[in-house]
Amino acid sequence: MKIDGTHYRTIWVADDGWSVEIIDQTKLPHEFATVSLQSADDAARAIRDMLVRGAPLIGATAAYGLCMALREDASDENLDRTYDMLLATRPTAVNLKWSLDAMRDAVRKVGHNARVEAAYAEAARLCDEDVETCRRIGENGLRIVRGLAEAKPGQTVNILTHCNAGWLACVDWGTALAPIYMAHDAGLPVHVWVDETRPRNQGASLTAFELGRHGVPHTIVPDNAGGHLMQHGKIDMCIVGTDRTTSTGDVANKIGTYLKALAAEANNVPFYVALPHTTIDWTMKDGVREIEIEERSPREVTHMTGRTEKGEVVTVEISAPGSAAANYGFDVTPARYVTGLITERGVCPASREGLLSLYPEKKPENDNG
Ligand code: MRU
């Protein structure tokens, strides 16, 4: 996507041919700064401290982290050590494991002397694939937005989204925002309600930034406003992303997603989840019981960062000193609240049967059901 007329992906190899550049998302929307990653430790820190975040981008960053580790030592021991170190950075998004597995498979196929080259080629391929996957998610989601627009000719289609599932969360395009960009580019009148997404404010800081730079009309709302907006007919559909989707269609996404799904169900608002195949965890069946929910520092709840009127970016405490705070990063929305899953292969019901209809190769061989 474009920033001030220049096309950016969220991650790319620098001109030296080996170090990796990222956009420091902790500085957005106040400053657009890029950071150079020069080792696997740098990549791990960028993921843990959320300079990069969003399920697909976490996977892409880990892939390049592995590349940089292999430049220093291409042995099996270092490959396995770095794999484990990167995998431990954030627990909920399954794309991280998917990407590291793909990298390890590609590297193990070749001799030690060819490993670095093979790793960089695979990381680049994974990034390109992510871009194409998200583009297709956009096309498939566009059909749904178009349907809503045709049902209310001349009126704006209002879409609510939570967290940031745009191009900043992926390599380009995004998942939940890809259909919105395509709808806007196709001339459909869309307006996005952007949940602020406490505590880290990915909605207010990142989604609103992205949409604004692309010229998509949007309004930031406090996280608690969705129910009210739905009751008053101000939301035509919700689209969110996901960090892990079970084989049965349960979806883990940023904390607060579940409450939006409940409000949508109660108000007959369609609730869609957009995802690439890399976010499906075929080993899991019960999201609420099985998906590990990341717990982050309470400081992210008790403190907020923003820009003062003088233009200085500062962090302030918003609670009384000494109060305990809990910071669950994600929640799980059971499949029954999801109207449909928008994937690169099409849209399906959020169920085992629905997912297998799009990914028949995942059907166990002895499964006749
Ligand atoms: O904690 P974050 O910012 O990494 O959480 C991101 C989300 O929850 C996104 O909605 C999710 O990764 C899907 S985005 C493609």
Side-chain angles (χ1 to χ4, degrees):
M1 303 298 279
K2 286 190 173 162
I3 299 287
D4 298 333
T6 305
H7 180 264
Y8 281 92
R9 284 184 173 190
T10 52
I11 187 164
W12 63 97
V13 176
D15 290 344
D16 60 18
W18 67 269
S19 67
V20 173
E21 301 275 326
I22 56 159
I23 298 163
D24 182 351
Q25 299 191 20
T26 64
K27 297 226 161 43
L28 290 172
H30 308 301
E31 187 188 341
F32 184 83
T34 59
V35 167
S36 169
L37 307 181
Q38 312 211 340
S39 65
D41 283 339
D42 283 355
R45 213 171 301 116
I47 297 171
R48 218 180 291 114
D49 295 344
M50 294 179 65
L51 280 72
V52 289
R53 28 66 53 209
L57 179 56
I58 291 169
T61 308
Y64 277 115
L66 212 56
C67 295
M68 292 185 282
L70 293 172
R71 276 187 86 236
E72 289 166 16
D73 173 0
S75 66
D76 282 344
E77 293 71 28
N78 195 38
L79 176 63
D80 291 344
R81 195 172 40 239
T82 311
Y83 175 106
D84 290 342
M85 188 268 288
L86 288 163
L87 186 62
T89 50
R90 293 194 71 192
T92 303
V94 73
N95 309 55
L96 178 58
K97 180 170 189 314
W98 186 91
S99 167
L100 286 168
D101 283 345
M103 290 295 293
R104 191 158 65 175
D105 288 350
V107 165
R108 275 186 179 154
K109 277 194 201 129
V110 300
H112 281 209
N113 291 343
R115 284 187 165 184
V116 175
E117 199 180 329
Y120 276 95
E122 180 66 359
R125 191 189 69 75
L126 294 177
C127 286
D128 289 347
E129 188 185 281
D130 187 67
V131 176
E132 176 58 13
T133 298
C134 287
R135 196 187 61 74
R136 288 186 188 190
I137 289 171
E139 283 178 352
N140 292 329
L142 171 60
R143 285 189 207 108
I144 298 170
V145 181
R146 199 185 288 285
L148 290 170
E150 283 168 3
K152 48 187 303 202
Q155 292 178 63
T156 298
V157 177
N158 285 292
I159 303 172
L160 178 131
T161 192
H162 191 71
C163 195
N164 173 262
W167 72 272
L168 287 166
C170 303
V171 178
D172 206 346
W173 281 110
T175 55
L177 294 196
I180 295 172
Y181 286 128
M182 289 202 180
H184 174 80
D185 291 351
L188 298 178
V190 284
H191 165 263
V192 185
W193 294 107
V194 178
D195 280 350
E196 60 175 346
T197 319
R198 281 280 291 146
R200 289 192 66 108
N201 299 315
Q202 287 95 328
S205 304
L206 305 176
T207 300
F209 168 82
E210 275 196 48
L211 292 172
R213 290 302 167 110
H214 199 80
V216 181
H218 63 279
T219 306
I220 301 168
V221 284
D223 288 325
N224 303 324
H228 169 77
L229 293 172
M230 290 186 215
Q231 273 178 335
H232 290 271
K234 291 181 185 295
I235 298 179
D236 296 300
M237 78 185 294
C238 304
I239 318 183
V240 299
T242 166
D243 293 82
R244 193 180 292 243
T245 300
T246 65
S247 61
T248 52
D250 295 340
V251 290
N253 192 48
K254 182 54 56 193
I255 190 83
T257 302
Y258 172 44
L259 285 174
K260 290 299 137 57
L262 290 177
E265 161 91 1
N267 290 284
N268 285 322
V269 173
F271 187 91
Y272 284 94
V273 180
L275 66 146
H277 68 96
T278 49
T279 305
I280 305 170
D281 185 339
W282 294 98
T283 70
M284 289 190 179
K285 290 184 177 156
D286 181 340
V288 175
R289 295 231 166 90
E290 293 178 273
I291 297 177
E292 184 181 352
I293 299 297
E294 177 179 19
E295 289 184 47
R296 295 186 62 84
S297 166
R299 195 182 153 83
E300 292 181 351
V301 179
T302 57
H303 290 67
M304 273 180 103
T305 300
R307 189 168 54 186
T308 67
E309 281 178 4
K310 288 185 182 153
E312 202 187 348
V313 175
V314 294
T315 299
V316 295
E317 192 171 19
I318 59 164
S319 55
S323 289
N327 189 6
Y328 298 93
F330 299 90
D331 59 25
V332 173
T333 300
R336 62 182 177 279
Y337 298 115
V338 178
T339 308
L341 301 172
I342 306 171
T343 79
E344 73 278 7
R345 292 199 187 170
V347 181
C348 71
S351 64
R352 182 172 180 279
E353 297 68 33
L355 280 167
L356 287 176
S357 71
L358 294 182
Y359 301 94
E361 72 277 18
K362 295 293 178 185
K363 201 169 178 177
E365 269 170 24
N366 57 358
D367 181 335
N368 301 316

